[in-house]
Amino acid sequence: MLQVANIRANKEAYITALKKRNFDAEAVFSEVLELDETRRSTQTELDEKLAESNRLSKEIGLLFKTGEHLKANQLKQQTSDLKEITKELSEKLAATTMALNRQLYNIPNIPNELVPAGASEEDNVEVYKEGEVPQLAADALPHWELAKKYDIIDFELGNKITGAGFPVYKGKGARLQRALISYFLDKNVAAGYTEFQMPLMVNEASGYGTGQLPDKEGQMYHVTEDNLYLIPTAEVPITNMFRDDMLSDKDLPIACTGYTPCFRREAGSYGAHVRGLNRLHQFDKVEIVRIEKPENSYAALDGMVEQVKEILRELKLPYRILRLCGGDLGFTSALTYDFEVFSTAQDRWLEISSCSNFETFQANRLKLRYKDKDGKKELVHTLNGSALALPRVLAGILENYQLPNGIKVPDVLVPYTGFDMIN
């Protein structure tokens, strides 16, 4: 959530920056500033009336003590009138604040100056590429056919139990999945991240805190009776651990990692590009989250990118990194780098990770601040990244490592799986 003071101070620059997102902010900014002016003037008037009421109450007490009951009762009528006025002002303040927050909740983050302009993923900019694309046999299979051939993932069984997008991993497929989770967590812990095991459901405040609500409400599974949401990513519960916290200078940086299943409705996702593991309603992911001082956050983002690079190098998967354009940038992000692995059998790139800096956008919603060395209270910067999302990594391994006699397991995973071939 943007800070109103920053909108007021940088209105024209913000309007220009948000055009990168194809978001016209002029009208909404005018309304925000008008509502804030009303809120501030109402708060001032309310404070004045409350101060007057307190003054009168003290005066009435003194009058009763000195026996001036007539004058005291006259003043009591004034306090009664003031109570009615303060009640009306309090209601107006609450309604204005709610209307202001409603507007602010629907304004996306200001893109960093490095974000390229663009309307869609077609305008994202490739900034790095690494790894050799393997030369597969002419009869190479996509991962969904390999999964059936070697009986390691059953999409039909998942459909029977739950529905499309809920696969069942079997035998060596389940063990490979578990190996990837353990490997990712071990790599992150070795890099200094503290591991957490988080709840899979969050309350509404947590959804608003990290920006999934109201922006992604239609994409989240909602347990309406309890007003809880199944998490779309571990970012949500991990970051919300620090909601309403006041950290000290020495607490930072904070680096967290966690594995969770993730749940996304993915409404409107159809077609060949979502076959097999390409897009699921339930999938496993290992997340990294950082809380940083503002001056260190972009160096931290670079470090997260390097962390994902190292994992992909060890898996020996060909990958590229894209800097997302304004039209493809997530609602809460100021700058995002997407990682894509090349699926040789599908002859296409598959997104497997996003590393993002949200700057103060989430922190303002979360009321997450720290005291610097001088005792000044500042909003922190929050960051997160996938390290990594499993389905498309697994798809890349199955397709890129396929051989005539089976699927080779990447060397780095063999200590975790206990086998080096799926056949």
Side-chain angles (χ1 to χ4, degrees):
M1 187 164 68
L2 301 182
Q3 296 172 267
V4 178
N6 289 344
I7 293 175
R8 187 180 299 108
N10 304 285
K11 181 181 175 183
E12 295 306 319
Y14 279 8
I15 288 172
T16 300
L18 285 170
K19 286 179 181 177
K20 282 187 179 180
R21 289 181 173 271
N22 308 304
F23 183 89
D24 187 354
E26 190 157 3
V28 71
F29 277 1
S30 294
E31 187 165 352
V32 161
L33 295 177
E34 186 177 329
L35 285 167
D36 185 57
E37 188 60 41
T38 301
R39 182 192 63 79
R40 291 195 297 164
S41 63
T42 304
Q43 182 70 66
T44 299
E45 188 176 357
L46 176 61
D47 291 343
E48 289 172 351
K49 297 299 181 186
L50 288 171
E52 186 179 354
S53 182
N54 288 334
R55 181 185 62 77
L56 287 174
S57 294
K58 290 178 182 178
E59 189 175 345
I60 289 166
L62 288 172
L63 289 170
F64 274 122
K65 281 183 180 179
T66 57
E68 297 182 69
H69 296 279
L70 180 62
K71 191 172 182 181
N73 286 325
Q74 290 174 341
L75 289 180
K76 280 181 73 177
Q77 181 58 48
Q78 289 184 40
T79 61
S80 179
D81 293 342
L82 278 172
K83 282 181 182 178
E84 189 62 34
I85 293 170
T86 56
K87 180 185 175 185
E88 291 174 1
L89 287 171
S90 295
E91 290 172 352
K92 180 181 178 181
L93 180 63
T96 304
T97 302
M98 186 179 297
L100 174 60
N101 285 336
R102 192 161 48 241
Q103 290 290 348
L104 290 170
Y105 278 137
N106 286 289
I107 302 170
N109 201 358
I110 303 300
N112 182 276
E113 60 184 11
L114 292 175
V115 173
S120 70
E121 62 183 25
E122 302 299 323
D123 300 309
N124 294 335
V125 177
E126 183 181 297
V127 295
Y128 189 80
K129 185 185 284 188
E130 184 176 324
E132 294 295 323
V133 174
Q135 298 298 312
L136 300 182
D139 59 351
L141 300 174
H143 69 269
W144 54 86
E145 293 187 25
L146 290 166
K148 187 172 184 178
K149 178 179 179 179
Y150 295 109
D151 196 26
I152 54 175
I153 307 172
D154 195 325
F155 295 100
E156 289 75 18
L157 186 56
N159 192 39
K160 172 186 175 181
I161 296 167
T162 308
F166 295 88
V168 174
Y169 299 85
K170 302 168 61 177
K172 287 187 175 181
R175 289 167 66 186
L176 180 57
Q177 182 88 338
R178 177 158 51 93
L180 281 165
I181 293 166
S182 296
Y183 165 64
F184 293 158
L185 286 171
D186 286 351
K187 287 293 292 182
N188 295 339
V189 169
Y193 291 83
T194 301
E195 183 179 348
F196 290 87
Q197 190 172 64
M198 302 304 297
L200 303 184
M201 290 191 285
V202 294
N203 55 31
E204 191 174 63
S206 293
Y208 274 95
T210 43
Q212 280 69 33
L213 295 176
D215 179 58
K216 294 289 190 296
E217 188 161 11
Q219 295 295 316
M220 296 174 72
Y221 285 100
H222 188 195
V223 184
T224 53
E225 188 170 342
D226 301 301
N227 196 27
L228 296 174
Y229 292 84
L230 290 171
I231 62 169
T233 167
E235 167 205 345
V236 182
I238 289 176
T239 311
N240 272 280
M241 288 195 296
F242 305 98
R243 176 158 40 93
D244 298 319
D245 280 2
M246 176 65 72
L247 304 172
S248 68
D249 183 82
K250 68 180 189 304
D251 292 328
L252 301 175
I254 294 172
C256 310
T257 188
Y259 152 70
T260 64
C262 303
F263 305 88
R264 299 183 187 179
R265 293 185 63 242
E266 298 286 6
S269 298
Y270 306 101
H273 68 290
V274 300
R275 287 194 67 179
L277 298 172
N278 288 348
R279 186 162 296 175
L280 302 174
H281 293 304
Q282 178 183 323
F283 61 94
D284 293 321
K285 183 153 68 85
V286 174
E287 197 80 356
I288 49 177
V289 172
R290 298 191 68 91
I291 298 172
E292 297 277 350
K293 297 176 188 177
E295 63 268 25
N296 299 334
S297 69
Y298 277 96
L301 179 62
D302 291 341
M304 294 169 79
V305 167
E306 291 302 317
Q307 175 72 3
V308 178
K309 277 184 181 181
E310 184 177 342
I311 291 172
L312 291 170
R313 283 189 191 117
E314 290 189 356
L315 289 173
K316 297 179 181 176
L317 289 171
Y319 70 93
R320 68 176 182 175
I321 303 174
L322 305 176
R323 185 184 295 131
L324 297 194
C325 72
D328 201 30
L329 194 65
F331 181 84
T332 54
S333 177
L335 180 64
T336 293
Y337 292 102
D338 267 10
F339 283 75
E340 296 182 338
V341 65
F342 191 73
S343 165
T344 309
Q346 297 180 73
D347 192 30
R348 59 188 293 252
W349 292 98
L350 304 175
E351 181 195 334
I352 54 167
S353 174
S354 289
C355 293
S356 301
N357 189 345
F358 307 112
E359 296 187 0
T360 60
F361 192 83
Q362 287 183 333
N364 192 32
R365 289 173 173 241
L366 294 159
K367 295 181 173 60
L368 172 53
R369 297 171 294 167
Y370 81 105
K371 287 183 180 178
D372 65 18
K373 291 179 180 178
D374 299 322
K376 186 180 179 182
K377 297 174 183 178
E378 300 281 357
L379 289 170
V380 299
H381 280 194
T382 61
L383 305 91
N384 90 285
S386 311
L388 289 158
L390 271 76
R392 294 172 185 172
V393 171
L394 185 57
I397 289 172
L398 296 181
E399 295 180 5
N400 292 347
Y401 276 84
Q402 64 180 296
L403 299 169
N405 61 333
I407 301 167
K408 186 181 183 303
V409 175
D411 293 340
V412 74
L413 296 179
V414 173
Y416 292 92
T417 60
F419 57 85
D420 59 5
M421 286 288 292
I422 297 172
N423 50 28

